[in-house]
Amino acid sequence: MEVLWLTDEEVKLLLTMDETIAAVEKAFYDHGMGQTQMPPKSYLYFSKYDGDLRTMPAYLEGCDQAGVKIVNVHAANPKIGLPTVMALLTLISPKNGVPLAIMGATFLTAMRTGAAGALAARHLARQDSRVVGMIGAGVQAGAQLLGLSRHFKIEQVRVFDTSEERSRSLETNSREFLDCEFMIYTKPQEASQCDILVTTTPSRRPVVKGDWILPGTHINAIGADAKGKQELESSLTKTAKVFVDDMAQAVHSGEVNVPISQGILLPEEIFAQIGEVLAGKKPGRESETEITIFDSTGLGIQDVATGFAVYEKALQKRIGVKLATGLSASVL
């Protein structure tokens, strides 16, 4: 038996944002319908290197798709020429456990996170949203903008990052799919005056204050993905209408983890999981003036659903290398 090996570059050739959004939408819907198995991420902390390693198993029962992603986050990596986030995804057959594919999942991770933000904004942002604010201008900021551009007619992007070079790079790269005005700011407050705000920083203290946010704003809070991380002032999560991707995971390691640990926000005050909105069990935005927040921690079901879309396309296009596993039907 053989397993298909796909490099990150091959995944990049195969995967479009529209395909990613479709895969993640199905994953969120199944999650909302209670048709997935997905224990919260498990972490290994490499404290002396300011990094961690996470394992993310998931099973989409309706699609009969299963797999596990391993992913690191090392904030200092860009200084030595490596990505902050690197990942590998293994897909297996739920029927017999046979490995089907192993693929580089660094690009896939960025895309599926961008797709999640896009889907959340479709349901939680005002449909006439035209101005997008970006706090953080790294790789994930680009993926978020790409996802948002598939639904919203973006007229202006307001960018803040501690590095002007990163902000300019985001503008340059985004012009491949966006024809709009870019404004580069030196203060996060200026970038926060928008219709949709996206935060993609690794911060462990708030970078966005509640009184900066205009009525009717939607916020995609992407950066907080581990215990102790926080991008939004705790009072903002208390007064806004909060949606999470997965309750158990968000309480432990999402944007809401710090305000919950502080006793400012109670878990029962979180309005819904985004899958419940897609499944029609809970409403999304209910007024033009409410402030909504999507707390994205990143789910294994997103990776598996997107990975299978890549795997099936790779088989059709005969891309990748098939490697012998040493297994045969006689030993299964």
Side-chain angles (χ1 to χ4, degrees):
M1 292 194 176
E2 297 174 323
V3 60
L4 183 66
W5 162 246
L6 294 166
T7 67
D8 253 306
E9 284 303 312
E10 288 168 330
V11 172
K12 192 171 184 177
L13 287 172
L14 290 163
L15 186 61
T16 69
M17 180 52 79
D18 287 338
E19 291 166 341
T20 310
I21 289 173
V24 172
E25 184 171 28
K26 182 64 168 66
F28 278 160
Y29 176 86
D30 286 357
H31 186 253
M33 295 299 292
Q35 297 174 349
T36 62
Q37 294 182 40
M38 185 184 60
K41 300 176 189 176
S42 60
Y43 289 76
L44 296 176
Y45 296 100
F46 308 133
S47 300
K48 63 181 178 179
Y49 302 114
D50 189 24
D52 63 62
L53 181 72
R54 310 159 191 199
T55 58
M56 302 171 63
Y59 176 35
L60 289 85
E61 297 171 357
C63 302
D64 215 24
Q65 298 175 342
V68 60
K69 186 176 80 172
I70 59 171
V71 57
N72 77 290
V73 177
H74 282 66
N77 270 6
K79 296 178 182 178
I80 57 173
L82 292 174
T84 301
V85 176
M86 294 181 286
L88 280 174
L89 175 64
T90 300
L91 304 179
I92 65 129
S93 165
K95 182 178 179 180
N96 50 32
V98 167
L100 302 173
I102 302 171
M103 66 185 71
T106 303
F107 176 75
L108 183 150
T109 296
M111 290 287 279
R112 62 77 149 148
T113 310
L119 285 164
R122 286 185 187 184
H123 292 272
L124 306 180
R126 301 192 322 273
Q127 293 304 299
D128 64 350
S129 295
R130 297 290 183 266
V131 180
V132 176
M134 307 297 298
I135 306 295
V139 171
Q140 184 48 228
Q144 289 290 317
L145 269 181
L146 177 58
L148 291 172
S149 74
R150 306 309 296 160
H151 181 73
F152 295 94
K153 294 180 180 178
I154 300 172
E155 296 176 354
Q156 185 184 81
V157 179
R158 304 166 71 91
V159 185
F160 166 79
D161 191 284
T162 54
S163 164
E164 184 179 348
E165 182 181 356
R166 276 197 300 266
S167 295
R168 295 297 177 189
S169 293
L170 175 64
E171 176 183 359
T172 299
N173 295 335
S174 298
R175 290 206 178 279
E176 295 180 8
F177 56 85
L178 265 183
D179 181 16
C180 70
E181 181 182 30
F182 274 77
M183 304 292 291
I184 308 299
Y185 294 103
T186 58
K187 296 179 181 179
Q189 180 176 359
E190 295 170 313
S192 300
Q193 308 296 295
C194 57
D195 300 317
I196 300 173
L197 179 64
V198 182
T199 60
T200 59
T201 77
S203 183
R204 289 184 173 270
R205 60 181 182 179
V207 293
V208 175
K209 293 186 178 181
D211 59 9
W212 296 350
I213 305 303
L214 301 173
T217 301
H218 169 66
I219 303 172
N220 278 342
I222 308 298
D225 58 358
K227 187 177 181 180
K229 286 188 175 183
Q230 182 182 24
E231 298 183 289
L232 310 181
E233 195 171 46
S234 293
S235 60
L236 181 54
T237 56
K238 177 69 174 180
T239 57
K241 189 174 180 181
V242 179
F243 300 77
V244 299
D245 51 10
D246 178 76
M247 187 68 72
Q249 199 161 275
V251 168
H252 175 268
S253 57
E255 181 60 42
V256 298
N257 87 89
V258 172
I260 287 174
S261 69
Q262 294 170 334
I264 294 174
L265 180 70
L266 299 176
E268 53 266 31
E269 292 179 297
I270 295 170
F271 186 77
Q273 298 180 129
I274 193 65
E276 294 175 306
V277 177
L278 269 66
K281 294 182 176 181
K282 295 282 185 70
R285 173 172 290 272
E286 295 181 279
S287 81
E288 293 294 295
T289 58
E290 66 184 353
I291 295 171
T292 54
I293 296 173
F294 173 55
D295 181 357
S296 172
T297 61
L299 306 183
I301 54 171
Q302 296 169 239
D303 298 305
V304 170
T306 305
F308 266 91
V310 170
Y311 170 63
E312 290 162 3
K313 194 173 179 181
L315 292 179
Q316 292 171 2
K317 292 183 173 291
R318 298 184 179 181
I319 292 176
V321 176
K322 292 184 177 180
L323 305 173
T325 65
L327 296 173
S328 65
S330 62
V331 299
L332 294 178

